[in-house]
Amino acid sequence: MTDTPTPAPEADVQDFADMSAALTGFLSSVLKPQLDPVGLARTYYEFALSQVGAQMSTLLTAYRAIKTQPPQTIADTLLETSSATPSAQALLCQSIVAMWYLGAWYIPGNQGGFGFPPTPLQVISSEAYTNGLVWKVMQSHPMGFSPFTFGYWSQVPGPLSSFGVNTGNGGGQ
Amino acid sequence: MRRLIIIIAAALLVTARAQAPQPPPIVLSPTIPGDAKITATTVSIDAFQPDFDVYSWNTFIALNWPPGPNGNGDPKQTIGQNGDNDTVWEHYRDVRDVFLPGGKKPSWNGPPQPVPPQCKSLYKPGMRLLSQVGKTPTVLTDSSQPFNTGPIIDQNGIYTRFEILLNKTMFDYILNNSLYSKAGQKVFTPPVKFTCGVLATSGSPGVEGAIMVKSAWKVIDPSEKPTFHSEDVLVYSPASQNPKYAASCSAKTMGLVGLHIAHKTQNASQWLWSTFEHVDNVPTDADVKSGKLKTKYNYYNPACTAANCPPNQIPPRPWNPTKVSSFHSQVVRMNLFNLPIYKASADARNADAWKLLATVNPQSVWLNYELISTMWPTNPSGKCGAAPGDPLGTPAPTFLANTTLETYLQRTPPQPNVSSQCIECHNNATMTVPVASDFTYVLQRAQ
């Protein structure tokens, strides 16, 4: 018999989604909508927690201390964009951004070599892949799965804002 | 776009609170709801799903209501009052009578297509003809490779049959835009945009949107009639070259085993997808694992082990619906749901509906049908349109299958493009010309 993991507290998942919104440039209501049949925010938070443990709690504490700041300020602070040698916490934030955009987990700080990007530890799920934010920023879709109707390629895609990009407050730049 | 649904939900919430007391959630009424009515007092899947399942049951009751002379539900009668009854949806137009040879113009009240020669000696006026052995023959049977699907064969070795019918709203759109023929489709100016249903309010009777009904039927013994909605029909199998068999026809008593209802509505331009099944069709995967099995199912033999009868296997070829097959489909309902609310809500609404139907007649055949779930767009945009960045509307549940209609699309864990997903799959539909057809494959049948 295996133990069922205890679900993460909803407040932590919400803070993780709000922090992720600032980090990714998307709206929190897109990353964790009220009507959420997919539940990626919880999936991602619990996955990251399983990978880095207490470091995740420390990161959320750091976020909570600045959560009232504008999204761009939060992103710059947590990602340490002005630093040439980002801390372990900033590297974790990079992995969280990559997780949302690519649906895959990259070990924080793991560098690729010889000009190649690092290899992800794993793609988190098929839905993580199809819901990657990279497709929304591209106003497109992943290979092998399209939410658009036949012939969409002949039409101008909808604006970035219709894909959930926070074009008005620090994102979509 | 997310803000929009929050605004809509908030508005609905205010409306719901203002309208006290609430009407009974599931009602015995011949009126088809124009849309789902949101009574939830919080915004969450757990809170909203029951409202969509209530919508599905109200639609099921209205569509299975005894019809009056005009084909609409007769308010002087009640569903199941005599045990079984003729139904509204069975007076909709069969796609066979909409997409006519040569692209001929159809009519709503016109005669059905001529009975095939093999059926003539058996035909009695008013008899229906069932011929399909795949859900959508031109897509899933004749060109089945992309979906890798096949027929479903009952525990007596008999092939299950299917039909697709359209309501007058949908028929009229096809007629008025000449989409019943290839020639008409060729000159049509896109997009295809079927009429959306609108919920009735105190000041408006509401609108019935485009509705597609897909039904699945199995041959039953007359002694089984008390537990099925049944019809005496002609079962026709057109001639086939591979495998080679001649056309044949036989008169059979068929019992309804599956019913899909798709309704395009104002708040669901991706359509609302309700799916029902006969309660004795199959066990769930959990039933099989726990050993809590009924003694008999329509599509599962509880005496056969998983080693001897592996579940959900496509019947071996050749597929010959004119013969009794030695292969019997061993079908199990897999759990495609990622949230417990979907099954819990359907179970609760089923109990409510059965209680209500039993007040009409404890012997009602409709007590033998259960809602599996309702798929709805959580990000619908509203106003009969989709959000440009989210045309599928992020459906809930994400995956949904009817074991008689998507038997072989139940892969777990669910996968996009592989496991059954009504909205995603139908979003790929086109006409006979390369133009999207608004979530319906039926326009591909135009000649």
Side-chain angles (χ1 to χ4, degrees), chain A residues 27 29-30 33-39 126-127 130 136 144-151 157-159 161-164 166, chain B residues 1-2 5-6 43-45 48 338 342 376 378 388-389 391-392 394-396 398-399 414-417 424 427 430 434 436:
Chain A
L27 296 167
S29 59
V30 170
Q34 281 186 287
L35 293 175
D36 187 5
V38 182
S126 57
E127 289 189 323
T130 56
K136 295 179 189 291
F145 179 87
S146 171
F148 305 110
T149 52
F150 187 90
S161 59
S162 73
F163 289 82
N166 185 0
Chain B
M1 59 185 173
R2 299 282 175 181
I5 193 166
I6 293 167
V43 182
S44 69
I45 301 290
F48 274 46
N338 66 335
Y342 301 126
W376 52 283
T378 63
L392 300 179
T394 313
T398 309
F399 299 94
Q415 301 284 320
N417 291 345
E424 180 211 331
N427 191 45
T430 64

